[in-house]
Amino acid sequence: MKSHRIPALLLCGALLVSLSACGGGGAQNSPAESEPPAGTAVQVETVNANTISTENKVSGKVESDTDASVFVATAAKCTAVYVEVGDTVRAGQAICTLDLASTLSSYQAASISYDSTVKSYQDQAALFEKQIALYEKNLSDLRALQEIGAASQAEIDGAELTLLSAQVTRDSTLAQLEAGIQSSKANVEQLATALENVDGSGNVIAPISGVLLSLSAVQDAFVSSAAPVAVIDGVDQLKITVTVSEALVPKLKIGDAVDVTVSSVGAAFTGAIRSVDKAASLQTKLYTVTVSIPAEVEGLLSGMFADVTFHTDTSADAIVIPTQAILTSGSTQYVYVVEGDTARYVEVTTGLTGNGVTEITSGLEAGQQLVTVGQAYLSDGALVRIVTGEG
């Protein structure tokens, strides 16, 4: 009897194991299991209006400074004096005001003329480039057709003459425009020399911080171009020198604020443009710009490297978005915005670029929800779900 009980017990155990396995499988296929949420996960931010400036970052060096003599290269009437001998002045501070309205007006007009001449040269050069490219293609096509007997030698000769004429016209026109640029540039530089150490309001600006050793400016009297308006003792003062291209020079003005970082000592501060050379280096063809360092900045040593950021071409109340949000396809730039739970494709036109941001001149309006993360995985009309960047 014992021998028959053992197989029976084994059979019952196998059935229990089988039923247990079936029960486990049913639990894994439970309809209560959650499904992944629908839509592509994206992060968004609200589009807002802001102020943006083109940022031009260059590297330079911290250098020791000495006494600074402040000259004005033209005789002018002094209308106001703000300091006295013995006063401590800071870099960028107004020392006095001169009646230079006509000179300032001439300088502004000359600068506009120079910029216009440069723009005209660039536009004409681009136009000629496209035109000549078309003529070259036409000539190439005609030569290919001639090989199969579909074009005559006369047509080839005519196309070659048209191309040659366009090239001659281009060279002649651009040479004339280049001469105009050089003339306008010389006029700007001449007027800029007369306005050295002077801001756009006619204020004579202290180029460095220090103690005022002498002052020749007297209210309602004329200052001379032969003697310094002021002499400033800049003992223990430092400056930063950088070099910039001629394209940037017309956009820089004495007294303009600049952002400075000296990474070796972890320093970041705002400096001021002290001077801009009127002639380029013969070797580098670059212009030297001197930046004043505020007296309260400590820890800097002569010879340290510094990064200087010039802010130019400011646009106020502009639509500004993160540059990373913009996608490109050929020459087309576009972004995605979220409407409800749907992504919408929007082509945009860009303007100025700054520190990680770009101006949008058309395509977006304030208040829209812009996709800033996940846009590369979207298409127009795609279902999306907004998530945060936490975790």
Side-chain angles (χ1 to χ4, degrees), residues 61-389:
K61 277 189 176 183
V62 178
E63 298 179 358
S64 297
D65 211 344
T66 57
D67 294 351
S69 296
V70 186
F71 284 89
V72 176
T74 182
K77 184 178 181 180
C78 177
T79 59
V81 178
Y82 308 111
V83 293
E84 297 178 353
V85 172
D87 286 352
T88 298
V89 297
R90 67 182 186 279
Q93 180 179 342
I95 296 173
C96 62
T97 301
L98 304 180
D99 184 5
L100 292 169
S102 60
T103 305
L104 286 166
S105 178
S106 296
Y107 175 76
Q108 292 169 356
S111 296
I112 292 172
S113 176
Y114 172 76
D115 291 341
S116 176
T117 305
V118 171
K119 182 68 165 55
S120 177
Y121 178 93
Q122 294 171 339
D123 290 344
Q124 286 292 325
L127 180 62
F128 279 122
E129 183 179 354
K130 290 181 179 179
Q131 187 181 55
I132 289 173
L134 287 175
Y135 291 153
E136 288 175 338
K137 183 179 184 303
N138 181 53
L139 178 59
S140 177
D141 291 345
L142 285 173
R143 285 172 174 164
L145 290 172
Q146 186 185 40
E147 291 181 358
I148 60 174
S152 65
Q153 185 58 45
E155 290 176 307
I156 299 293
D157 294 341
E160 289 177 340
L161 182 61
T162 300
L163 174 60
L164 180 60
S165 176
Q167 291 171 332
V168 170
T169 301
R170 175 199 59 191
D171 295 342
S172 174
T173 303
L174 294 184
Q176 292 177 4
L177 290 173
E178 189 170 355
I181 289 175
Q182 295 304 319
S183 176
S184 296
K185 180 181 176 182
N187 191 25
V188 169
E189 290 177 347
Q190 182 179 1
L191 289 166
T193 300
L195 296 172
E196 189 171 6
N197 297 318
V198 178
D199 69 9
S201 299
N203 298 314
V204 177
I205 300 300
I208 63 171
S209 298
V211 178
L212 197 63
L213 296 181
S214 69
L215 179 67
S216 64
V218 177
Q219 187 169 343
D220 296 326
F222 278 79
V223 298
S224 170
S225 60
V229 175
V231 177
I232 301 170
D233 180 5
V235 176
D236 298 328
Q237 184 69 22
L238 297 172
K239 64 182 178 181
I240 296 171
T241 58
V242 298
T243 53
V244 302
S245 67
E246 66 175 24
L248 186 57
V249 169
K251 300 177 182 180
L252 304 181
K253 296 180 178 61
I254 293 172
D256 282 355
V258 299
D259 291 334
V260 181
T261 57
V262 183
S263 58
S264 59
V265 292
F269 54 90
T270 300
I273 296 178
R274 167 176 162 178
S275 65
V276 181
D277 278 5
K278 306 308 174 187
S281 164
L282 294 177
Q283 290 75 30
T284 65
K285 308 302 181 184
L286 298 175
Y287 294 76
T288 299
V289 178
T290 303
V291 174
S292 296
I293 300 173
E296 62 270 17
V297 177
E298 298 179 350
L300 303 185
L301 297 174
S302 181
M304 288 182 173
F305 288 96
D307 290 323
V308 178
T309 301
F310 299 99
H311 300 274
T312 60
D313 304 319
T314 299
S315 180
D317 197 28
I319 297 297
V320 179
I321 67 171
T323 303
Q324 66 178 18
I326 303 172
L327 301 172
T328 58
S329 177
S331 60
T332 302
Q333 295 179 299
Y334 63 96
V335 298
Y336 283 99
V337 297
V338 173
E339 295 179 351
D341 58 358
T342 303
R344 185 165 70 85
Y345 168 94
V346 178
E347 291 188 4
V348 295
T349 304
T350 58
L352 303 180
T353 57
N355 184 21
V357 295
T358 297
E359 176 190 15
I360 301 299
T361 57
S362 68
L364 289 179
E365 297 179 354
Q368 290 181 291
Q369 295 297 301
L370 173 73
V371 178
T372 57
V373 176
Q375 65 271 28
Y377 305 101
L378 298 178
S379 59
D380 192 34
L383 191 65
V384 298
R385 55 187 174 89
I386 298 174
V387 299
T388 65

